[in-house]
Amino acid sequence: AGGAAGITTTNRKKRRLMNEALTLLSFGPEGWGDEIAWGVVVTVCLAIVTLPFGLFLGFLIALAKKSSEPSLRLAANIYTTLFRGLPELLTLFLVYFGLQIAIQVLLKMAGFDFYFEVNSFIAGVIALSFVFSSYASEAFLSAFRGIPQGQYEGGYALGLSKGKTLRLVVLPQLIRLALPALGNSWLVLLKDTSLVSVVGLSDVMRQSGIAARVTKEPFMFFGIACLIYLVLAMISSTGLVRIERWSKRGDTAR
């Protein structure tokens, strides 16, 4: 009888703990589900907004690196060395605080005397774009080197200008060759969005941290954050595999 009573008490405790956990994760005034869901939206939006800026900037840096102009190559090499060498968190601080100070100084020089504050989301996009583009430029540069010179010559022989040869002949091959490295950089970018929580952006990490401090349940909420990032990574990996298959649809079987 004593053993049965102990089992019943244990089951009650388990049910109570489960109900408390479900309450904490629920949507509404008693739970943190809506805050964490909003954090997921902010995290995904930050990564998606950063991606095109980082890709475009990385492509320009790659073009500068393969340019025949020494000054462009030097500037591009300094850029990639700088943002690949600095910690991502330090880059974020430099953009968030440094940009704010620079704009404030320019406003004072122009005769305007009011306080200007940089939005944490915009600062995150700028900082992450710098970091992402420095790695994306290396991916594009490697892809450029993988395209035979005959592809350029064939475009010129057809009467295409350099711009049209780059857009119609080189760029489709460039994307296919650079896609695996860019996919890895995207996954790194997705994880690096968590750094923006330190400047007040309400992403997954910040919302999970607030919930952990308020409820005194750090393991549960940071565990939820781990699961969210893993799910986002798995969804991204699945999408990247499909994009890679689509990019190779014109390849002939060997």
Side-chain angles (χ1 to χ4, degrees):
I7 294 174
T8 302
T9 303
T10 302
N11 291 335
R12 287 177 180 173
K13 289 182 179 179
K14 289 181 179 179
R15 286 196 296 268
R16 180 173 58 82
L17 292 174
M18 182 63 69
N19 290 333
E20 290 177 355
L22 292 176
T23 300
L24 291 175
L25 295 175
S26 64
F27 291 81
E30 296 183 358
W32 292 86
D34 44 357
E35 286 84 358
I36 294 177
W38 175 248
V40 174
V41 173
V42 172
T43 294
V44 174
C45 288
L46 178 60
I48 291 176
V49 172
T50 301
L51 182 62
F53 291 106
L55 286 174
F56 180 70
L57 189 55
F59 182 71
L60 294 181
I61 296 299
L63 288 177
K65 280 193 169 187
K66 67 186 296 293
S67 172
S68 58
E69 177 60 40
S71 59
L72 287 178
R73 293 200 304 270
L74 178 61
N77 287 324
I78 292 175
Y79 177 92
T80 54
T81 301
L82 178 65
F83 289 109
R84 291 173 68 191
L86 289 177
E88 288 84 350
L89 185 58
L90 181 56
T91 302
L92 175 61
F93 284 153
L94 290 175
V95 171
Y96 184 69
F97 296 108
L99 184 61
Q100 186 168 287
I101 293 172
I103 293 176
Q104 198 71 36
V105 170
L106 291 175
L107 288 175
K108 286 185 178 180
M109 292 175 61
F112 299 100
D113 189 15
F114 62 88
Y115 180 74
F116 181 86
E117 184 175 357
V118 176
N119 181 275
S120 57
F121 186 90
I122 300 300
V125 170
I126 295 173
L128 294 177
S129 294
F130 287 156
V131 176
F132 181 84
S133 63
S134 65
Y135 289 96
S137 65
E138 295 298 321
F140 284 127
L141 185 61
S142 298
F144 271 123
R145 291 169 178 167
I147 298 175
Q149 186 63 29
Q151 298 290 320
Y152 296 89
E153 295 173 355
Y156 301 151
L158 293 173
L160 300 177
S161 64
K162 288 186 177 181
K164 286 187 176 181
T165 300
L166 179 64
R167 180 168 57 89
L168 300 176
V169 178
V170 177
L171 192 58
Q173 301 178 69
L174 187 75
I175 295 174
R176 178 173 57 83
L177 293 174
L179 192 58
L182 292 177
N184 291 332
S185 297
W186 161 255
L187 293 176
V188 173
L189 170 64
L190 197 60
K191 293 183 294 182
D192 283 347
T193 56
S194 62
L195 299 174
V196 188
S197 62
V198 301
V199 293
L201 189 65
S202 299
D203 68 330
V204 171
M205 282 302 299
R206 180 170 176 80
Q207 299 289 44
S208 299
I210 294 173
R213 288 193 297 272
V214 172
T215 63
K216 303 297 189 295
E217 294 287 349
F219 181 80
M220 181 177 70
F221 283 102
F222 287 126
I224 293 296
C226 289
L227 291 176
I228 290 172
Y229 281 109
L230 286 174
V231 169
L232 292 176
M234 288 188 290
I235 294 173
S236 298
S237 298
T238 302
L240 289 170
V241 169
R242 293 185 177 181
I243 293 173
E244 190 172 356
R245 288 177 181 171
W246 174 81
S247 67
K248 294 180 179 179
R249 68 194 186 282
D251 291 355
T252 56
R254 300 191 179 204

